[in-house]
Amino acid sequence: MSVEDMVRPVKTSAPGQYLGYAVQPVRFCYHLLRAAHGELVSLEYMDDVAIHRPSGQVALEQCKSSIRPKLITDKSIDLWKTFGNWVDTCAAHGLEPGNTEFILYVAPGEAGPIVEALHAANTDDAANAIITKLKSWLTPSTVGKGFGEHLQRFLVAGDPACAAIIKKFRFDAETDPLDGIREILRATITESAVNDFCSAAIGRAKEDAERLIRDGKSPVVDAQAFRRRFQAFVRKHNLAGLLNSTTAAPGTADIEKTIASAPMFVRQLEAVELTPELIVGAVSACLRSTADKIKWAADGDIVEDSLDEFDAGLQQRFSLVRDEVEDLHAAHDPKKRGRLVYRRCATVQMPLEGRTLPNHFVEGAYNDLANDLRVGWHPSYQDILGKNWA
């Protein structure tokens, strides 16, 4: 049966919110990200979510969510309404229960005794024993009322169909339905960006389904095509974004303490008589950029080897700036030439792994290099400070 022949059902559950989304789009996105080659996934079409396999098999998933953990009790109306809906869906779409999967997904949730028994029943004997028990629950006081109304809808399908549904039933429960998507994304996306891309993935999946509906088509999405589009989205936005600094500017006491300890980069600045205000800014930038490097590398936001390439680029730019200053301003005082070299280097714009850096980072990185005498501001910095390096 073609998916275009299916009829979109009425929505059957009231969702919670996850990054601003209901549980159904979250599960729709999860299945799109993990479905096998050739599989299609639909949203609120045959069921809340359904997986359509090339063989013609279908997995129907009903999604329930709540703020607090939900115990699916033996006589839960939601439980038996779900089973009743599955009987109706199979009848409406010509699905063979024995060739269909039936999934009840609850977030967060816990299985009661009958749900545990249903989940574990994978033989005819186990399924028929459950059916016998369910029939005993239908009494004059329960028939047509509450859970009994929906249990009756299930049992009226007959023992063979009911047994087939029970054997193909699975109960899934999670504390947070976003965790499955996050685990998939963590393979290629840094931890600090996982939630942003998780939200983007759900939004794009939901928009794909809604676009199909607006175009008069069924909300059934090819999983492999979706993954290709999302991978292109990740490549574009994960590489071209800003590397955010999570370190606050150091306090006055930390800056004064660093200056008083006279590290080499501070002595380099003092050797060209940089103003006290600029020295304070340089120390702040150096402390922040050093902290940024450590955190970005530890969090996996950057490849640590990229820092060596970045430093090499800064050193090359320094050599060009210094040579230009020496060519154009040789008549100036050496200290003045040194200040000019520093100011030009401190305002260099250079990306790291193709990503834009915070304003303080390049200046701080240059001071880190100056601390190791790999660059220097005074034209004779090696002679003046090299012998005093400790």
Side-chain angles (χ1 to χ4, degrees):
M1 178 181 60
S2 167
V3 292
E4 294 298 327
D5 297 329
M6 303 170 189
V7 179
R8 185 180 180 211
V10 177
K11 189 173 179 180
T12 55
S13 63
Q17 294 288 309
Y18 304 94
L19 293 179
Y21 294 99
V23 69
Q24 288 85 355
V26 173
R27 293 295 292 172
F28 177 55
C29 177
Y30 170 75
H31 287 301
L32 283 171
L33 290 173
R34 70 181 295 274
H37 175 71
E39 292 185 342
L40 311 177
V41 185
S42 62
L43 175 65
E44 297 179 6
Y45 186 54
M46 291 187 80
D47 210 329
D48 286 341
V49 179
I51 303 165
H52 311 268
R53 301 194 169 95
S55 64
Q57 291 180 319
V58 177
L60 303 175
E61 180 174 291
Q62 281 267 314
C63 308
K64 311 291 182 184
S65 67
S66 60
I67 297 174
R68 296 178 180 83
K70 184 180 181 68
L71 175 65
I72 307 301
T73 60
D74 288 1
K75 298 180 180 180
S76 162
I77 291 178
D78 277 346
L79 173 63
W80 298 114
K81 186 176 181 180
T82 293
F83 274 80
N85 288 344
W86 283 335
V87 166
D88 294 344
T89 298
C90 288
H93 303 297
L95 298 178
E96 288 292 335
N99 202 35
T100 305
E101 294 176 42
F102 304 91
I103 305 162
L104 175 58
Y105 176 88
V106 183
E110 182 180 351
I114 195 65
V115 174
E116 290 182 345
L118 289 164
H119 179 85
N122 54 17
T123 65
D124 288 335
D125 288 345
N128 288 326
I130 291 174
I131 292 170
T132 299
K133 182 173 185 177
L134 297 179
K135 288 178 178 177
S136 71
W137 291 355
L138 290 179
T139 65
S141 63
T142 60
V143 170
K145 303 174 185 177
F147 85 93
E149 175 187 356
H150 302 291
L151 176 58
Q152 191 172 17
R153 287 173 53 215
F154 171 61
L155 292 175
V156 78
D159 290 3
C162 290
I165 291 174
I166 290 171
K167 287 189 295 180
K168 301 288 283 187
F169 170 76
R170 186 173 85 239
F171 177 76
D172 285 346
E174 288 184 302
T175 300
D176 186 346
L178 297 172
D179 285 344
I181 300 176
R182 290 185 182 118
E183 282 305 307
I184 294 170
L185 297 182
R186 282 188 179 108
T188 55
I189 295 172
T190 59
E191 187 63 34
S192 60
V194 164
N195 266 356
D196 289 339
F197 281 98
C198 184
S199 179
I202 299 165
R204 293 176 74 82
K206 185 171 182 285
E207 174 57 28
D208 281 0
E210 291 174 346
R211 186 184 303 110
L212 288 167
I213 294 171
R214 289 195 299 270
D215 292 343
K217 299 177 181 179
S218 303
V220 183
V221 177
D222 183 295
Q224 188 178 29
F226 173 80
R227 288 195 293 269
R228 282 199 299 266
R229 293 192 297 272
F230 184 65
Q231 286 161 359
F233 174 84
V234 170
R235 282 194 299 270
K236 177 181 177 181
H237 294 278
N238 200 30
L239 297 178
L242 172 70
L243 274 167
N244 291 305
S245 175
T246 58
T247 57
T252 301
D254 290 330
I255 293 173
E256 290 178 347
K257 182 179 178 181
T258 300
I259 294 173
S261 69
M264 178 55 69
F265 81 91
V266 171
R267 281 185 273 166
Q268 288 238 43
L269 299 171
E270 291 173 341
V272 295
E273 296 181 357
L274 203 68
T275 64
E277 292 80 9
L278 288 180
I279 290 177
V280 167
V283 171
S284 175
C286 188
L287 294 175
R288 290 189 73 188
S289 66
T290 299
D292 288 336
K293 290 177 187 178
I294 294 170
K295 186 168 190 341
W296 289 341
D299 289 350
D301 289 332
I302 60 171
V303 177
E304 195 165 357
D305 290 347
S306 298
L307 293 172
D308 294 332
E309 297 172 8
F310 181 76
D311 286 348
L314 291 181
Q315 287 177 273
Q316 182 182 32
R317 186 66 63 88
F318 160 76
S319 297
L320 294 173
V321 170
R322 181 189 58 189
D323 288 352
E324 181 184 13
V325 169
E326 289 301 310
D327 286 345
L328 301 178
H329 305 282
H332 289 168
D333 174 80
K335 294 179 180 178
K336 184 175 182 179
R337 301 204 304 272
R339 292 194 297 272
L340 184 57
V341 171
Y342 178 78
R343 287 195 295 268
R344 289 193 179 180
C345 285
T347 56
V348 163
Q349 298 290 319
M350 185 177 292
L352 175 58
E353 295 185 352
R355 301 165 74 183
T356 305
L357 290 163
N359 291 332
H360 65 269
F361 191 84
V362 168
E363 182 179 10
Y366 263 122
N367 279 287
D368 195 27
L369 291 172
N371 204 47
D372 294 335
L373 288 176
R374 286 186 280 172
V375 301
W377 316 123
H378 194 283
S380 303
Y381 76 95
Q382 292 281 8
D383 296 330
I384 295 173
L385 298 167
K387 61 177 177 277
N388 296 321
W389 173 244

